[in-house]
Amino acid sequence: MGLLRAIQSIFHDDWCKKCKTPMEVRARKLYTLPTTVGNYCAHKDAAYYKQNLRPVADRSQILPGIYACEVIAYRCPECGHSAVKLLIYLPVRDQNQQEDVYLFENGEMDDFLRRS
């Protein structure tokens, strides 16, 4: 059974990389980025997001042509390991044109989540 969990955790970024257990969602928040259509540039550094993410209450507050970022914080119920996933997309009508997905597992976004 341990081998099966290890294989599943490779394909599920919401599974704990330490103990191979499905993680629980602690928080889910929506933000905007200071990027417009045609100007998107990928950033892999957590510092960029901590400096530039601006909170919004819901999708209706995102102006047309502005990129959005959904921040999902996970925590493992078994070992306590945490991770933060960033889903970056452009809202177009009722669809999301996904640009990038980043997973931070070493506490890079923890101070940002505590502040917001």
Side-chain angles (χ1 to χ4, degrees), residues 94-108:
D94 292 333
Q95 302 290 319
N96 294 338
Q97 283 185 339
Q98 187 169 320
E99 290 292 339
D100 282 311
V101 177
Y102 297 108
L103 187 65
F104 296 103
E105 294 188 279
N106 298 316
E108 300 97 325

Side-chain angles (χ1 to χ4, degrees), residues 2-53:
L3 179 62
L4 178 61
R5 280 186 180 259
I7 293 170
Q8 288 176 323
S9 71
I10 293 170
F11 298 105
H12 294 278
D13 56 7
D14 59 346
W15 283 44
C16 181
K17 300 299 184 239
K18 292 185 177 185
C19 67
K20 316 302 186 232
T21 302
M23 299 201 305
E24 299 170 342
V25 175
R26 272 190 321 169
R28 181 178 237 131
K29 297 182 181 182
L30 186 61
Y31 298 87
T32 59
L33 286 166
T35 308
T36 57
V37 173
N39 296 317
Y40 179 78
C41 180
H43 295 276
K44 295 181 181 180
D45 186 21
Y48 172 82
Y49 297 103
K50 290 193 273 188
Q51 181 179 2
N52 291 293
L53 291 176

Side-chain angles (χ1 to χ4, degrees), residues 42-81:
H43 295 276
K44 295 181 181 180
D45 186 21
Y48 172 82
Y49 297 103
K50 290 193 273 188
Q51 181 179 2
N52 291 293
L53 291 176
R54 300 293 176 252
V56 293
D58 60 49
R59 187 181 165 111
S60 66
Q61 292 182 334
I62 301 172
L63 298 174
I66 301 293
Y67 280 85
C69 178
E70 185 175 355
V71 176
I72 307 168
Y74 295 103
R75 185 175 185 290
C76 178
E78 295 294 319
C79 71
H81 179 69

